[in-house]
Amino acid sequence: MQDVLVIGAGPAGLSLVAALAETGLAVQVLALGDPAHPWPNTYGIWVDELEDVGLVPFLEHRWKDCVVHVNSGPVPLHREYGLLSNDRLQAHWLNQAEQHQVTWCRDKAIHIEHRPTHTQVTTASGEKLTARLVVDATGHQTALVQRPAASDLSFQAAYGIVGRFSKPPTDPQQMVLMDFRDDYLTPAQRQEPPTFLYAMDLGDGVYFVEETSLAHHPAISIEVLTQRLHQRLRHRGIEVEYIHHVERCLFPMNQPLPDFTQRVVGFGGAASMVHPASGYMVGALLRRGPGLAGAIAAALSSPHTPPDQVAHQAWQALWPADRVRKHYLYLFGLENLMAFDAPQLHQFFNAFFNLPTDDWAGFLTDNLSLPEVVQAMLGLFGRAPNPVRWGLMRSVFSHGHLLGRTLMS
């Protein structure tokens, strides 16, 4: 019997497997595909987030020139951004797993049974895997982690291209976090949900450009995002000359938190770890994974600790009360963003990214305390123009229940 069975071997699963293995636990991984299969998406992250966890060497690219564009002009960010080297980071975690003798099973979980001393997972081929704790890291559509039903999920969607273009879509050696300029849209299109460009110079004449919907219910279709990206580029006299890679993303921003009393522990999308107001998750995986692994190792240190208690301690490490309170505050922020029209969004982001860097950076990466998040939001309210203030005040009445959860969770 294993100490921990991790289901899923994507970035969330592999990062946690490596952290668990480092604690000396006996770990097994159940995954449908090859854990060494290349990850399909790009992962951007602020460099200071990697400095905090000692993973800066796993950056493929770094940009000091980072900017946000709104209709009123560019907003320099004064914060360094990076793009992870998927191959190197994946190989690093796989190597850690190999060194600590992690075992692998390529199959699909079809049944789970909780027993007094362990959990048994039956695979599609009939194999029975047992462990004192099961962690589900299979993403947002997990079948094992239980959470309240939600009919009004809002999704971030994106369509991107890595390729070569007739003209550079960004300034040299620049990363564009958000380009909300809508001069390329028709008057009718400006009445539709807004989207923005996320773009970066990858060097040697190669660029990554991605049209992104911040959050919307229902999701903005990939077809609309594709059309807008090409329309935006053509408006600036840019044609796509060669496509190296196409990226499509779709994930929920406001998935309900899991039931923290259940015996299967989630991680990553399965544990609703996406930042509701920004869509970020990779930094949270890197920061919170080692703490979760340590809590699991501590709980399993006694052979007599019942599985329910092990799972309880794991959930408490991943979602302590203060983090839950912040989560509802971020959900309130998401509702504000989705309620703003295009002019309000431009004014909001101009004010937001003109806050002190520590404030907006800490908000996006979720490393502020709850009082610090509240202070940053009050600072934003103080410097925002009146249309944004009125929108925020209206949200207090329409989404005040989220603020109530912040105070009472």
Side-chain angles (χ1 to χ4, degrees):
M1 182 170 65
Q2 303 293 322
D3 291 320
V4 185
L5 173 66
V6 177
I7 304 178
L14 274 188
S15 66
L16 185 61
V17 165
L20 288 166
E22 288 286 324
T23 69
L25 293 173
V27 181
Q28 185 170 28
V29 184
L30 173 62
L32 200 54
D34 182 354
H37 186 77
W39 300 333
N41 293 330
T42 54
Y43 297 102
I45 191 168
W46 299 102
V47 172
D48 52 47
E49 290 190 84
L50 289 186
E51 290 172 344
D52 292 342
V53 294
L55 293 176
V56 171
F58 296 98
L59 283 174
E60 187 78 28
H61 300 279
R62 298 173 68 158
W63 297 271
K64 292 184 181 296
D65 181 7
C66 303
V67 66
V68 166
H69 288 286
V70 291
N71 281 346
S72 59
V75 183
L77 298 184
H78 308 296
R79 190 182 183 202
E80 194 174 6
Y81 196 76
L83 193 69
L84 286 168
S85 170
N86 287 1
D87 292 345
R88 293 208 306 272
L89 187 57
Q90 183 182 33
H92 170 67
W93 284 333
L94 287 171
N95 182 58
Q96 285 183 303
E98 182 180 1
Q99 288 179 355
H100 292 90
Q101 300 179 322
V102 170
T103 58
W104 306 86
C105 177
R106 287 185 60 178
D107 210 334
K108 180 181 181 180
I110 61 168
H111 180 70
I112 186 166
E113 182 180 351
H114 297 298
R115 298 182 177 179
T117 60
H118 64 275
T119 295
Q120 179 175 281
V121 173
T122 305
T123 71
S125 65
E127 188 172 359
K128 298 186 186 301
L129 309 177
T130 59
R132 294 179 65 194
L133 179 71
V134 172
V135 177
D136 187 327
T138 57
H140 311 284
Q141 296 181 325
T142 169
L144 297 182
V145 174
Q146 304 302 309
R147 57 166 57 88
S151 59
D152 57 349
L153 290 178
S154 300
F155 292 85
Q156 184 166 120
Y159 171 81
I161 294 171
V162 176
R164 297 181 181 274
F165 302 83
S166 60
K167 293 196 316 185
T170 74
D171 288 346
Q173 301 178 26
Q174 184 181 73
M175 194 283 296
V176 179
L177 183 68
M178 296 171 127
D179 185 346
F180 263 108
R181 290 175 294 182
D182 56 8
D183 52 345
Y184 71 101
L185 296 175
T186 66
Q189 286 176 315
R190 291 193 187 106
Q191 304 306 309
E192 298 171 359
T195 61
F196 65 89
L197 180 72
Y198 170 69
M200 51 193 70
D201 177 5
L202 300 179
D204 298 324
V206 177
Y207 295 82
F208 176 52
V209 294
E210 185 169 71
E211 195 72 22
T212 305
S213 160
L214 187 61
H216 197 261
H217 172 75
I220 305 298
S221 72
I222 294 296
E223 290 74 22
V224 167
L225 294 168
T226 303
Q227 185 242 331
R228 283 202 178 187
L229 177 60
H230 288 282
Q231 184 178 346
R232 183 191 294 271
L233 293 172
R234 283 196 303 271
H235 181 76
R236 287 161 173 69
I238 301 170
E239 297 293 334
V240 180
E241 293 188 336
Y242 184 80
I243 296 177
H244 292 288
H245 170 71
V246 170
E247 178 168 305
R248 298 175 181 87
C249 298
L250 179 67
F251 55 86
M253 297 278 282
N254 58 344
Q255 203 164 38
L257 292 177
D259 176 359
F260 297 146
T261 66
Q262 62 191 301
R263 278 204 15 197
V264 176
V265 174
F267 190 64
S272 305
M273 287 174 63
V274 168
H275 192 308
S278 70
Y280 287 165
M281 186 172 71
V282 174
L285 298 178
L286 302 180
R287 288 191 304 274
R288 293 161 67 179
L292 174 60
I296 291 172
L300 291 173
S301 61
S302 168
H304 305 297
T305 306
D308 286 343
Q309 181 61 30
V310 175
H312 174 75
Q313 290 180 223
W315 279 120
Q316 288 299 303
L318 191 62
W319 281 107
D322 280 355
R323 182 167 286 133
V324 172
R325 293 187 183 99
K326 283 195 294 178
H327 180 79
Y328 286 108
L329 195 56
Y330 292 139
L331 283 174
F332 175 75
L334 173 66
E335 295 294 342
N336 280 300
L337 292 178
M338 292 193 295
F340 287 155
D341 60 21
Q344 285 175 307
L345 272 179
H346 287 260
Q347 293 172 335
F348 173 86
F349 282 116
N350 186 56
F352 179 80
F353 286 109
N354 274 294
L355 289 171
T357 300
D358 286 348
D359 287 352
W360 68 255
F363 184 93
L364 291 182
T365 53
D366 187 23
N367 60 7
L368 297 178
S369 66
L370 180 58
E372 288 171 333
V373 174
V374 172
Q375 188 64 37
M377 294 179 77
L378 291 173
L380 172 66
F381 186 86
R383 70 171 60 220
N386 284 333
V388 174
R389 291 183 184 179
W390 283 115
L392 293 172
M393 286 189 288
R394 282 195 300 269
S395 287
V396 171
F397 294 100
S398 56
H399 303 293
H401 63 287
L402 296 172
L403 293 180
R405 295 294 296 270
T406 296
L407 296 172
M408 301 180 65
S409 294

